[in-house]
């Protein structure tokens, strides 16, 4: 995941600190549109604005740290996916990236479906009015209670992940007098080029049923015999933060190969395939993600070519982007608390959040960008590490980035592209309170997930 080191930046040229950094950008005040949401810019005073509101006002009104989400940007991205895939395909937003009731309503309005993977996500989706038939229920170990709730609610599909689950869902559905539509999740044996913890299609991991050794075919064989199930398709998700389409291509070919084997053995053409999510976004200016229309074109062509070759009717395709929709829509707004230069190394900039609001840097060695947002500065670039307030030296938000050398306590800085897997993976480590999510649009800001309070923490601590 790391970029090449470059010797520019440290204050003593003879010592080159280890890190991910590349050369400082030509203009530290510029905001690269690749990593910032659509409506982000600077006003005449140099203060960053989003949705027509400046970050100083947001900080005053809502405090820091806070996730600031550009609703217009979310809707534009959701719509772009929907439009790119058209009416012959379905887009399921992956709720694990970030889910709240407001988000569910936006998705509903923009015509997207929703992928949930726990009872909590299901409850959020239903409570915000997402029609159950537009929900897909995922997970490698759904509890009996979760399965029952999903079946009773009438979710559109349950994605089955193991032999045990095939039987469990079938029995439950049957006992409720229902026939549940299901897909079977397979692992296609693709090595996605991403961090080990977020790659999911190689065989040595917990998700799905391997195509290898005929296991997936056996799973389909069993599922087809059970009255409580209606097998509607095959599911494959190869991993996350992927830029290279070749993994999807191999996955699609292998899934179509299975559809052909199923047709040959059972005389049944399954009507759907789901190719999962996983499309990468730009966290830094070095990343070059694909646009939804390119992805849609590539995936639909791959599937229809493979189906033509196998003389199969082209199934309905679905995809499950999470990060690619919500990731770029939000930034985390922090206040600088301390600035600590370490001679010959780098400057440690401590902010009022940290690994509790963004675990991705510590967990995946993820890279982020950062900018001074409460003002512009003409000062020279300074190599910084943005760290949090937690009692752990791995508490790093941005490993290496350049900020202006006159950065001072009280400045506001923002880390873009934190819409996905930051609030949803946030913790209370050190009893730090999880930040709010503030949605902005057309000059209005509203809290869609409120900041945690100490009362919230103490309410769980029952003594
Ligand atoms: N579909 C399935 C079945 C998934 O497991 C996932 C993600 C997605 C769709 C959505 O993937 P996306 O388009 O968001 O990449 N916490 C990690 C990512 C874990 C992804 C888990 N599954 C991270 O922060 O990078």
């Amino acid at each position: 995941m790391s970029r090449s080191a470059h010797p520019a930046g440290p204050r003593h040229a003879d010592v080159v600190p280890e890190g991910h950094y590349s050369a400082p950008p030509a203009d530290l005040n510029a905001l690269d549109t690749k990593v910032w949401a659509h409506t982000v810019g600077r006003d005449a005073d140099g203060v960053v604005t989003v949705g027509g509101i400046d970050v100083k006002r947001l900080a005053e009104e809502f405090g820091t740290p806070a996730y600031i989400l550009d609703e217009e940007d979310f809707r534009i991205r959701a719509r772009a996916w929907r439009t790119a895939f058209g009416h012959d395909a379905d887009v399921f937003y992956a709720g694990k990236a970030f889910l709240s009731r407001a988000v569910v309503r936006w998705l509903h309005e923009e015509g997207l479906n929703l992928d949930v993977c726990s009872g909590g996500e299901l409850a959020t989706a239903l409570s915000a009015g997402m029609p159950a038939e537009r929900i897909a229920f995922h997970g490698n170990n759904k509890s009996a209670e979760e399965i029952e709730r999903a079946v009773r609610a009438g979710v559109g599909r349950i994605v089955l992940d193991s032999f045990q689950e095939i039987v469990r869902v079938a029995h439950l559905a049957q006992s409720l007098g229902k026939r549940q539509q299901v897909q079977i999740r397979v692992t296609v044996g693709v090595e996605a080029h991403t961090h080990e913890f977020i790659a999911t299609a190689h065989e040595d991991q917990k998700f799905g049923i391997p195509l290898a050794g005929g296991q997936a075919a056996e799973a389909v064989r069993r599922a087809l015999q059970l009255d409580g199930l209606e097998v509607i398709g095959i599911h494959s998700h190869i991993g996350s933060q992927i830029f290279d389409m070749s993994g999807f291509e191999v996955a699609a070919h292998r899934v179509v190969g299975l559809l052909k084997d199923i047709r040959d053995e059972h005389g049944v053409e399954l009507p759907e395939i789901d190719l999962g999510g996983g499309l990468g976004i730009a966290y830094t200016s070095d990343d070059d993600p694909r646009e939804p229309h390119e992805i849609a074109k590539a995936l639909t062509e791959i599937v229809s070519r493979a189906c033509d070759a196998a003389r199969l009717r082209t199934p309905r395709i679905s995809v499950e982007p999470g990060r690619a929709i919500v990731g770029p829509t939000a930034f985390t707004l922090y206040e600088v608390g301390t600035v600590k230069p370490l001679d010959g190394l780098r400057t440690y900039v401590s902010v009022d959040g940290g690994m509790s609001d963004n675990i991705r840097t510590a967990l995946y060695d993820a890279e982020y960008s950062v900018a001074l947002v409460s003002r512009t500065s003409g000062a020279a670039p300074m190599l910084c590490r943005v760290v949090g307030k937690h009692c752990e030296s791995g508490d790093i938000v941005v490993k290496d980035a350049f900020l202006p050398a006159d950065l001072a306590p009280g400045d506001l800085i923002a880390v873009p592209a934190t819409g996905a897997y930051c609030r949803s993976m946030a913790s209370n480590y050190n009893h730090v309170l999880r930040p709010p999510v503030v949605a902005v649009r057309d000059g209005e800001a509203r809290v869609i997930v409120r900041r945690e309070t100490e009362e919230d923490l103490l309410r769980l601590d029952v003594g």
Side-chain angles (χ1 to χ4, degrees):
M1 269 195 164
S2 66
R3 284 178 280 153
S4 59
H6 187 289
R11 291 164 344 125
H12 297 297
D14 53 330
V15 184
V16 181
E18 274 180 44
H20 290 198
Y21 61 95
S22 43
D27 177 5
L28 277 185
N29 299 314
L31 300 167
D32 186 346
T33 53
K34 263 206 263 181
V35 296
W36 294 90
H38 282 96
T39 73
V40 171
R42 285 192 192 268
D43 67 14
D45 298 324
V47 182
V48 167
T49 64
V50 52
I53 307 184
D54 80 65
V55 293
K56 284 180 161 176
R57 206 182 110 196
L58 290 168
E60 259 161 42
E61 201 169 326
F62 304 104
T64 55
Y67 304 101
I68 310 294
L69 195 157
D70 181 345
E71 179 182 340
E72 190 57 34
D73 188 73
F74 185 99
R75 288 178 180 273
I76 289 171
R77 289 177 202 275
R79 211 173 297 147
W81 277 87
R82 187 75 211 89
T83 313
F85 278 88
H87 292 293
D88 298 329
D90 296 302
V91 181
F92 287 76
Y93 169 79
K96 65 208 82 183
F98 172 63
L99 198 64
S100 78
R101 288 192 273 197
V103 162
V104 173
R105 283 191 286 269
W106 302 339
L107 292 166
H108 190 4
E109 284 164 18
E110 299 299 341
L112 276 75
N113 298 351
L114 181 61
D115 140 12
V116 300
C117 66
S118 70
E121 288 185 358
L122 179 63
T124 306
L126 293 173
S127 80
M130 179 59 84
E133 65 273 15
R134 283 172 49 193
I135 298 176
F137 193 43
H138 271 277
N140 68 303
N141 187 19
K142 308 165 189 76
S143 70
E145 192 260 334
E146 285 173 322
I147 296 170
E148 182 169 346
R149 273 163 70 196
V151 174
R152 276 190 195 278
V155 298
R157 62 173 73 156
I158 295 183
V159 182
L160 302 175
D161 196 274
S162 65
F163 282 94
Q164 285 93 349
E165 203 172 72
I166 290 171
V167 177
R168 266 178 216 155
V169 174
H171 283 169
L172 235 148
Q174 210 175 1
S175 70
L176 295 172
K178 294 203 176 201
R179 190 146 190 258
Q180 178 62 48
Q181 294 203 328
V182 295
Q183 291 190 337
I184 294 177
R185 179 165 174 178
V186 302
T187 43
V188 294
V190 171
E191 294 280 344
H193 297 289
T194 188
H195 192 282
E196 181 197 352
F197 292 175
I198 52 178
T200 55
H202 54 295
E203 272 135 18
D204 187 4
Q205 46 95 19
K206 70 171 183 166
F207 290 109
I209 301 175
L211 281 179
Q215 291 192 63
E218 176 60 19
V220 174
R221 206 169 286 136
R222 292 194 199 170
L224 285 172
Q225 286 166 4
L226 295 167
D227 289 339
L229 305 181
E230 179 187 349
V231 184
I232 58 165
I234 302 296
H235 184 286
S236 156
H237 170 76
I238 59 172
S240 210
Q241 187 56 6
I242 298 166
F243 292 105
D244 181 358
M245 293 299 288
S246 61
F248 290 98
E249 178 152 8
V250 177
H253 270 112
R254 296 192 181 161
V255 169
V256 171
L258 177 61
L259 292 185
K260 178 178 176 297
D261 292 347
I262 294 167
R263 191 256 333 259
D264 293 347
E265 183 180 341
H266 307 281
V268 179
E269 291 199 25
L270 297 185
E272 294 189 18
I273 71 173
D274 190 309
L275 294 172
L279 283 311
I281 61 162
Y283 284 103
T284 74
S285 299
D286 292 348
D287 296 326
D288 284 306
R290 303 271 189 122
E291 293 294 326
H293 66 88
E294 296 175 87
I295 295 160
K297 186 165 180 284
L299 291 183
T300 44
E301 278 177 13
I302 292 165
V303 172
S304 61
R305 249 185 282 122
C307 287
D308 287 350
R311 275 184 276 124
L312 281 168
R313 264 193 309 275
T314 302
R316 188 172 177 87
I317 297 175
S318 49
V319 286
E320 298 170 339
R323 184 192 323 261
I325 292 177
V326 73
T329 66
F331 59 79
T332 315
L333 186 61
Y334 298 105
E335 185 178 293
V336 173
T338 68
V339 178
K340 189 186 286 182
L342 296 186
D343 262 2
L345 293 170
R346 53 174 70 71
T347 297
Y348 279 77
V349 175
S350 295
V351 294
D352 45 1
M355 65 195 298
S356 55
D357 60 68
N358 187 349
I359 190 65
R360 299 194 67 261
T361 309
L363 192 56
Y364 313 121
D365 205 16
E367 289 182 38
Y368 282 92
S369 327
V370 60
L372 170 61
V373 291
S374 47
R375 62 184 173 92
T376 50
S377 165
M382 160 173 84
L383 180 64
C384 294
R385 178 160 289 175
V386 179
V387 296
K389 60 182 282 149
H390 295 277
C391 298
E392 182 156 332
S393 52
D395 173 25
I396 298 170
V397 180
V398 186
K399 204 159 183 183
D400 293 289
F402 290 91
L403 283 164
D406 63 353
L407 191 77
D411 278 333
L412 297 176
I413 62 175
V415 175
T418 57
Y421 303 111
C422 286
R423 181 58 180 78
S424 66
M425 293 174 80
S427 75
N428 287 124
Y429 183 38
N430 297 140
H431 282 201
V432 167
L433 305 167
R434 286 179 293 179
V437 182
V438 178
V440 290
R441 190 185 193 194
D442 297 335
E444 275 179 34
R446 68 187 171 107
V447 174
I448 59 170
V449 179
R450 74 160 165 78
R451 185 183 300 285
E452 255 174 350
T453 62
E454 284 176 5
E455 293 79 76
D456 291 329
L457 285 185
L458 293 173
R459 201 173 302 140
L460 299 181
D461 182 338
V462 292

